[in-house]
Amino acid sequence: MTSGAAPHDTVTLEVIELIGQVVVRFHEEYEEAAGRHGLTGAQARLLALLAVSPTPMRRLAHRLGCEPSNVTGIVDRLENRGLVERRADPSDRRVKIAAATEEGLRVNENLRASMGFAAAPLASLSRPERAVLRDLLRRMVPPRPEAP
């Protein structure tokens, strides 16, 4: 076993399989929830990022793991619906920042509120158990470095 690698015992393999099942189910149901709000999954993810704060287009591409040209297309479609607007970065007018509009914030909030499927499996865990799970997941998923 290499240094820092997780052991490949039966428990580890079962945890890997269970995490995979959770991820697949979450993505399927997230896509369905986004569709009920007239969004693709990518549009919903971008809108969720912008609901936190206005973000430069290049950083959005980095966070979504796609090419900047893909983000431009997603922002175009959301802008046409009045959910997102582009702004010039006050510190560098060549940089475009995408920001959620009031309507975009409302749609994002409605989408999040309709995501009971994501919280339902956690309902069987006590609050302390959910906190332990959260803390373990935070240890497993270190923060990503920010793009320039």
Side-chain angles (χ1 to χ4, degrees), residues 6-101:
H8 289 286
D9 58 47
T10 56
V11 172
T12 299
L13 295 174
E14 185 177 2
V15 168
I16 291 168
E17 177 61 29
L18 289 168
I19 289 172
Q21 290 175 21
V22 168
V23 168
V24 167
R25 183 172 296 165
F26 177 82
H27 280 290
E28 289 172 352
E29 295 183 15
Y30 188 82
E31 292 284 333
E32 289 173 16
R36 287 192 300 274
H37 290 83
L39 300 168
T40 66
Q43 290 171 339
R45 286 187 293 278
L46 188 139
L47 193 56
L49 290 172
L50 296 180
V52 174
S53 68
T55 307
M57 303 280 280
R58 185 169 299 283
R59 188 171 300 149
L60 287 171
H62 177 74
R63 295 282 311 273
L64 293 173
C66 65
E67 293 297 318
S69 60
N70 291 349
V71 168
T72 299
I74 296 168
V75 169
D76 286 346
R77 288 184 287 283
L78 291 172
E79 191 173 38
N80 288 338
R81 288 189 53 195
L83 304 177
V84 168
E85 63 185 13
R86 285 180 173 88
R87 302 176 184 162
D89 184 331
S91 62
D92 184 349
R93 302 210 42 92
R94 297 169 297 175
V95 174
K96 294 297 180 204
I97 294 177
T101 62

Side-chain angles (χ1 to χ4, degrees), residues 84-128:
V84 168
E85 63 185 13
R86 285 180 173 88
R87 302 176 184 162
D89 184 331
S91 62
D92 184 349
R93 302 210 42 92
R94 297 169 297 175
V95 174
K96 294 297 180 204
I97 294 177
T101 62
E102 288 299 319
E103 178 65 8
L105 293 172
R106 187 189 64 72
V107 168
N108 180 67
E109 185 59 35
N110 289 341
L111 174 61
R112 289 178 56 92
S114 74
M115 292 176 55
F117 65 84
L122 297 171
S124 66
L125 301 177
S126 68
R127 183 173 173 81

